[in-house]
Amino acid sequence: MRDGILVINAGSSSIKFSLYLSNGDGKPVLSSKGQVEGINVAPHFIAQGADGTVLSEQRWPGDSNLHHEELLKHLIDWVEDHLEGAELRAAGHRVVHGGPKYSTPVLVDDEVLEELEGYVQLAPLHQPHNLAPIRALAKVHPGLLQVACFDTAFHTTNPKVATTFALPRQLTEEGVRRYGFHGLSYEFIARRLREIDPQAAAGKVVVCHLGSGASMCGIKDGQSVASTLGFTAVDGLPMGTRTGNLDPGVILYLLEQKGMNAKEIETLLYKRSGLLGVSGISNDMRVLLESSDPHAAEAVELFCYRICRELGSLAAAMGGLDALVFTAGIGEHSAPVREKVCAASAWLGVDVDPAANVRHAQLVSTPASKVPVYVIPTDEEMMIAKHTRNVVSKLRQAAE
Ligand code: AMP
C-alpha cells in the first residue's frame, strides 16, 4: 500500500500542512497542501491540490474559541479523506530548535518532547508553536508516528570556531553559542545543487535564503560550515521585521537609558525592525521596490549592503567562493535585489547576466563569471517529507 506523509509547519497564528503520497518508487510526491490561519482570532481552513486548485475551505467566527486540538482534528479528518487509498504513516514536523543534541530528525516520544520543550528558551517565538501541534496530534490521533525535523540540524557540522561566542566558557558550555537556522532549506538546496552543478556543489558555496526570515549559509562540499543566524533567529541579515545583527550595546542602551523592559525590546527586535523599521512602510520587499519613498529605497539598500558584507565574511570563512545561490521569496523572485548584490560582488568573481536575471533563469551569471550564480526554489516541506519517510522506513526495516 502507498504511504501518506503529513508535513506540518506551525507558527504563532497558522498551521501549514502538505500531504505527500508515495509514488511507484516509494518517493514522496505532493498531493495537497493548505493551512489553518487566524488561530485565536478567526480561524480559516483552506486546502488546495498540488496545482493550487482550492479543494476545501472553511471559516469559523472570531468568537468560536477553537483550540489547536479542534483545528488539527479538522485538518487531520480532511487529510484522511484525501489519502487516495494510501495509508497515513507519519506526520513530520518542522521544529526550529534541536539544541546541541539533535543533528538528525528524530521520532518523537514523551521523553524527546520533554527535551525539545527544554529548548523553548532558546527560541521562544517559534519552538512553542512548533511543539503545540505535536502534542495536539498525539491526542487526536494517538498512535500516529511523529517525526521532528530541525532547522538547526544541518548546521551541526559547523566547526567550533564558527559557533563560539567570545563569552566566558561556562556560558558556552550551557549552550549559549551559535546554532544557525533555515537548515531544512539549505539542506534541500545543497542536494539540488548537486544535481544542477555537481562540481560547484563539491566546492565552496554561499546560499542566500532571502524570505521574510533571511539568512546566509556557507556550504563546503555539501556541509554547512558557517551561518549568519546564531543563538536565535534574530542575528545576521536584516529581515522583514527583525533587526539582524546589532551591537549588544544597543540593548543595554534601550534597557538603561530608554527604560524599556525585556518584552518591549523583544517586540522591537523581532516585530518592529528590519525592512519595516527602516522603511516605516512595509516588511514586504515588493512594496518597497515599488515605492518612491526614499526610506523604502534606504531599506532595500541596507538589506543588499548587509548581504554583500556577509557574503565577504562567509567567503573568508571558507577561503573562497565557487558558487552563489539565491532562494526563498525575495531570492527567487526579486531580480533587483539579486542584481544589486551581484554587482557589488564583482570583486569575488561574480558577473551577473541582466537578461537571465530579469527572467529568473536558473543560471543568472554570464559564461565569463568565475562564480556561477543560481536561482533555486527551495522546498523545506519536501525535505521534511523525505526525512520522515526515511525514519519510518528504518523503523519498518528494524521491525522486519
Ligand atoms: P518567504 O518567507 O520565503 O515566503 O518570502 C516572503 C517574502 O518574499 C515576502 O515578504 C516578500 O517580501 C518577498 N517576495 C515575494 N515575491 C516577491 C517578488 N516578486 N519580488 C520581491 N519580493 C518578493
Side-chain angles (χ1 to χ4, degrees), residues 34-183:
Q35 60 180 326
V36 186
E37 289 176 311
I39 298 172
N40 304 324
V41 189
H44 172 211
F45 171 85
I46 184 162
Q48 296 163 296
D51 61 357
T53 318
V54 175
L55 301 176
S56 172
E57 214 173 346
Q58 183 159 343
R59 289 177 191 277
W60 292 269
D63 57 3
S64 57
N65 276 331
L66 278 178
H67 293 294
H68 249 79
E69 274 169 38
E70 290 151 298
L71 294 167
L72 261 168
K73 175 92 177 74
H74 181 83
L75 191 160
I76 199 110
D77 284 348
W78 188 90
V79 164
E80 297 224 289
D81 283 345
H82 291 80
L83 285 167
E84 299 171 25
E87 190 175 333
L88 188 61
R89 297 279 182 202
H93 297 262
R94 179 185 190 173
V95 176
V96 71
H97 224 300
K101 177 166 176 180
Y102 292 105
S103 56
T104 52
V106 64
L107 187 69
V108 183
D109 57 18
D110 289 345
E111 207 177 302
V112 171
L113 195 54
E114 202 176 307
E115 214 157 20
L116 298 181
E117 263 155 17
Y119 302 144
V120 161
Q121 303 149 330
L122 302 183
L125 298 190
H126 296 92
Q127 191 87 341
H129 307 298
N130 302 155
L131 300 184
I134 301 184
R135 235 175 281 112
L137 211 49
K139 279 196 185 155
V140 301
H141 203 309
L144 180 68
L145 297 177
Q146 300 204 65
V147 175
C149 301
F150 304 103
D151 262 322
T152 47
F154 186 63
H155 303 294
T156 52
T157 48
N158 285 6
K160 196 160 179 233
V161 71
T163 63
T164 307
F165 292 123
L167 282 169
R169 200 160 274 280
Q170 194 194 331
L171 280 166
T172 310
E173 281 157 13
E174 271 173 34
V176 183
R177 40 155 279 202
R178 304 178 66 85
Y179 290 93
F181 300 91
H182 292 139

Side-chain angles (χ1 to χ4, degrees), residues 209-213 275 283-286 289 328-330 333-334:
H209 175 107
L210 310 178
S212 47
L275 295 176
N283 61 343
D284 192 321
M285 183 57 80
R286 285 166 289 201
L289 288 169
I330 300 171
H333 304 293
S334 178

Side-chain angles (χ1 to χ4, degrees), residues 114 121 130 163 272 275 357 360-361 378 386 394:
E114 202 176 307
Q121 303 149 330
N130 302 155
T163 63
R272 292 174 46 212
L275 295 176
N357 187 42
H360 311 293
T378 194
K386 286 185 173 170
K394 279 189 192 140

Side-chain angles (χ1 to χ4, degrees), residues 232-303:
T232 62
V234 74
D235 199 6
L237 299 177
M239 309 181 208
T241 60
R242 290 175 242 168
T243 50
N245 83 2
L246 186 71
D247 176 349
V250 175
I251 313 276
L252 298 177
Y253 172 81
L254 297 175
L255 277 167
E256 287 166 4
Q257 306 300 323
K258 304 286 279 186
M260 290 174 76
N261 62 35
K263 202 73 211 158
E264 288 165 338
I265 294 175
E266 179 183 283
T267 306
L268 179 82
L269 301 184
Y270 280 88
K271 305 254 167 80
R272 292 174 46 212
S273 299
L275 295 176
L276 174 66
V278 177
S279 69
I281 297 172
S282 173
N283 61 343
D284 192 321
M285 183 57 80
R286 285 166 289 201
V287 175
L288 301 184
L289 288 169
E290 277 164 23
S291 169
S292 55
D293 189 314
H295 292 165
E298 255 178 51
V300 176
E301 192 188 339
L302 178 59
F303 185 69

